[in-house]
Amino acid sequence: MHLILLGPPGGGKGTQAKLLQDEYGLVQLSTGDMLRAAIASGSAIGQQAKEVMASGKLVSDDIVIGIVAERIEQPDAKRGFIMDGFPRTTAQAEALDALLKARKRRIDAAIEVQVPDSLIVERIAGRFTCKKCGTGYHEKFHRPKVEGTCDVCGSHEFFRRPDDNAQAVQVRLDAYHRLTAPLIPYYERQGLLHRVDGTLPIEEVTQRLKAILAEARAHS
Ligand code: AMP
């Protein structure tokens, strides 16, 4: 299965993709994570992307499409993927369609996780991530069970993203509405669009996503 999660920054796409990937034997493909890894490794792409990401703007289509084209060729992505944070522009969506078509594959469902802008700043301002295993947490909505200790790997080290500040969040939201939201009608026209209320509790959103996946699987 090939799934796309659409929705604003801080809407819960990454959290949900991580929860779904094991259960369905899919791999989560987050272009944000790939770009952060490129920055951490000091690669040329990372150096190009660093300032753009910190400001909240989008990295160029060419760079991101290049990364995805390479990534979907890896063996773990052959069984299927959940894209989280890609595509983010119409050019990226068209490039993904072409990449998949050339490999006789196609997208099974695009799911919009709906969260109003008014909730995004609070969601993003409180979030932090385990440095070791990448599990996401939130000061208000999802604290570790034992204060200061990751539930999954037991690490005590956490980090906050440099672009999770009020100014960059506003730029990211603007980019979402201007450049990414047009993908909603793009997938709707193809009969692939589903919607989920992303303001519901995490487990409830997961249940609704599972119902959509079951339906998409039955039709694939
Ligand atoms: P994310 O982790 O998905 O919130 O992405 C963090 C940042 O990485 C974004 O604000 C962009 O600067 C960059 N980025 C991630 N995915 C894309 C993409 N598909 N197209 C352009 N820029 C991206």
Side-chain angles (χ1 to χ4, degrees):
M1 280 225 287
H2 302 97
L3 306 170
I4 291 171
L5 292 185
L6 292 166
K13 302 184 299 294
T15 301
Q16 294 297 335
K18 281 195 182 73
L19 290 169
L20 291 171
Q21 63 174 352
D22 296 337
E23 186 151 346
Y24 290 88
L26 306 171
V27 62
Q28 175 200 14
L29 298 186
S30 156
T31 40
D33 285 349
M34 293 176 213
L35 289 165
R36 280 184 285 277
I39 293 175
S41 76
S43 71
I45 285 181
Q47 281 169 18
Q48 272 176 276
K50 191 172 177 176
E51 269 182 39
V52 181
M53 283 176 75
S55 74
K57 290 189 192 144
L58 292 189
V59 173
S60 78
D61 286 336
D62 286 352
I63 288 185
V64 180
I65 291 166
I67 293 179
V68 169
E70 234 175 70
R71 185 64 184 86
I72 63 173
E73 286 303 315
Q74 303 297 313
D76 64 341
K78 292 260 159 86
R79 285 181 59 196
F81 54 64
I82 309 178
M83 292 267 180
D84 142 29
F86 181 91
R88 257 178 158 100
T89 63
T90 304
Q92 292 178 18
E94 288 170 353
L96 179 62
D97 284 347
L99 283 169
L100 292 178
K101 197 170 174 195
R103 290 158 184 77
K104 300 204 167 25
R105 294 191 264 167
R106 63 181 176 81
I107 291 159
D108 298 289
I111 308 169
E112 181 198 359
V113 182
Q114 297 180 306
V115 180
D117 285 8
S118 55
L119 295 183
I120 292 299
V121 176
E122 185 189 29
R123 280 192 171 203
I124 289 188
R127 69 183 186 177
F128 57 99
T129 306
C130 171
K131 218 169 188 174
K132 196 166 157 209
C133 74
T135 300
Y137 295 96
H138 192 282
E139 281 165 6
K140 197 163 156 191
F141 308 121
H142 180 209
R143 299 182 72 90
K145 291 193 184 83
V146 178
E147 194 64 37
T149 305
C150 176
D151 295 348
V152 176
C153 74
S155 164
H156 302 295
E157 285 192 90
F158 298 89
F159 71 95
R160 288 175 191 268
R161 285 171 43 172
D163 56 346
D164 278 356
N165 63 75
Q167 199 182 349
V169 169
Q170 204 47 59
V171 177
R172 287 158 70 194
L173 273 175
D174 288 347
Y176 177 72
H177 289 298
R178 210 160 34 87
L179 300 167
T180 309
L183 298 185
I184 294 163
Y186 177 90
Y187 288 115
E188 198 162 28
R189 281 196 295 277
Q190 298 182 42
L192 295 173
L193 187 75
H194 301 260
R195 292 183 171 92
V196 164
D197 179 354
T199 67
L200 295 168
I202 291 175
E203 306 75 42
E204 181 67 25
V205 176
T206 310
Q207 288 314 318
R208 294 188 183 205
L209 288 171
K210 283 183 181 172
I212 293 169
L213 298 203
E215 196 192 316
R217 186 168 265 178
H219 288 102
S220 72

